[in-house]
Amino acid sequence: MKTTSKPMMAMAGSPDSSVHAAMTGPPDASPRFLSIDEGQIAYDDTGGDGPLVLAIPGMGDLRSEYRALRPLLRQAGYRVVTMDIRGHGDTTARWNDYSAHAVGRDALALMDHLNAGPAVILGNSFAAGSALWAAHDAPAQVRAVVLLGPVVRDGRPSWFAKAAVAIGFAGPWRVPFWLAFWNSLFPSRKPADHANAKAALALNLREPGRMEALRTMIGLSKADTTAILARNHVPALVVMGTRDPDFPDPVAEARWLADTLGAESLLVEGAGHYPHLEMPERVAPQLLDFLARVCAP
C-alpha cells in the first residue's frame, strides 16, 4: 500500500569502496525470449529463489545498463531479471504501440511467465513510467518501484530543441546524433566499459527499425503517465542525479515526484541521467536498504 510517512530526501555521500569492489560480473549470456502479441521480449535472468527484481532500461539503451547493479543485487540474494524494451536490444524492433504503458504490460507478462511472485520494478527514464503503469494495473504483483532519472511528465522543449531532434533524426547521421546525446547523460564520469557499451549500442541502433522505434518513443506524450501518479499505491524510491541534463532543475523534479508519490528520494550529487551506472557505489546502499524493507516477510 502507499507509504504514509513523509517523503524522505537523502543526498548520496562519498563512494563506499567495498560496494565499488563488488561491482563486477560476467558478461551477459544469450538472452531468453518471451513471445507476446506482435513480437518477443528479450531478457536475462540470474535465477535463484530470492525476491524478484525486474529492471527496465530507458529508451535508446539496452538491458545491459544495469550491469553495475545486477551483481550487487544478486550478491544480496535477489533474483535479477533485466529486459529490453520494445524496439531495442534483442527485443523485436517493430510494434504497433511503444508507449510506457505498453512496456509496463510487457513487464507484467514477463513476471507472470517467470511465476516468481511479486517483483520490485526498476525503471530508468521513460521506463520509470512503465514501472508505475505495471504497479497501477497490477498492484498485487508489484512490491515497489524504483524510479531512476524518471521522465514521467511532458517537458516544454524550446523551438531549438525541437528543431535539433527533427534534424538529428532526419538523415544517415541519426545514430551518431543519438550517441552524442547519450554521451552527454554521463556528465561527471563514464563507466570503465563505456566505449564497449557505446559500440554495442551503436551496432544495435543500426539494425532495421530500431531508430524508427526510438523516434516514435521520443514523440509520445507522457500525459497518461502523469495522470496516474497520484493514484500510486506501492512504495517508491526516486533516484535522481543533480546534473541530469534531461531536466531544467533535476532536484526540483525529484522533489515534485517524491511528493506526488509519497516516495523516498535519493539525490546523487554530480550524476546525470544514469546515476545507477555513473555512480553505482552511491546508489547501491540506499537501494539495498529500500529493497530489504519492501521485501521483508
Side-chain angles (χ1 to χ4, degrees), residues 12 47 52-53 70 77 123 161 175 226 241:
L52 179 62
V53 175
R70 186 173 61 180
V175 172
T226 308

Side-chain angles (χ1 to χ4, degrees), residues 81-287:
V81 174
T82 54
M83 60 179 276
D84 280 324
I85 63 173
R86 295 181 174 209
H88 295 67
D90 292 303
T91 288
T92 301
R94 293 185 171 90
W95 301 77
N96 290 326
D97 186 354
Y98 292 100
S99 67
H101 195 179
V103 174
R105 290 193 295 268
D106 294 342
L108 290 174
L110 180 54
M111 290 161 54
D112 184 65
H113 170 72
L114 295 170
N115 192 29
V120 176
I121 303 181
L122 280 58
N124 170 235
S125 190
F126 152 96
S130 302
L132 289 165
W133 271 112
H136 173 273
D137 291 348
Q141 296 183 47
V142 180
R143 294 180 189 266
V145 294
V146 179
L147 313 176
L148 303 150
V151 181
V152 296
R153 61 175 171 174
D154 294 326
R156 296 179 180 177
S158 66
W159 67 267
F160 178 81
K162 292 178 181 178
V165 170
I167 295 170
F169 278 87
W173 53 81
R174 56 190 182 168
V175 172
F177 167 79
W178 177 258
L179 292 175
F181 170 70
W182 178 78
N183 265 329
S184 75
L185 301 177
F186 300 83
S188 290
R189 68 184 192 225
K190 295 176 173 59
D193 61 354
H194 187 77
N196 290 337
K198 181 178 178 180
L201 180 57
L203 187 64
N204 183 251
L205 290 175
R206 290 191 173 98
E207 294 178 0
R210 302 293 183 194
M211 287 301 290
E212 289 81 2
L214 174 56
R215 183 67 184 91
T216 299
M217 284 181 167
I218 289 173
L220 294 175
S221 172
K222 300 165 189 67
D224 59 337
T225 298
T226 308
I228 68 168
L229 297 180
R231 302 199 297 271
N232 176 63
H233 295 292
V234 304
L237 171 64
V238 176
V239 181
M240 185 77 78
T242 62
R243 294 180 60 193
D244 191 331
D246 258 12
F247 306 97
D249 188 339
V251 174
E253 187 72 10
R255 286 175 174 153
W256 164 78
L257 185 55
D259 287 343
T260 303
L261 296 174
E264 300 174 26
S265 289
L266 171 65
L267 294 174
V268 184
E269 183 64 40
H273 200 53
Y274 294 93
H276 55 296
L277 185 53
E278 187 176 8
M279 300 182 183
E281 74 283 353
R282 298 186 180 182
V283 173
Q286 188 165 332
L287 172 61

Side-chain angles (χ1 to χ4, degrees), residues 17-32:
S17 59
S18 64
V19 171
H20 182 75
M23 291 175 185
T24 57
D28 290 348
S30 298
R32 305 180 186 190

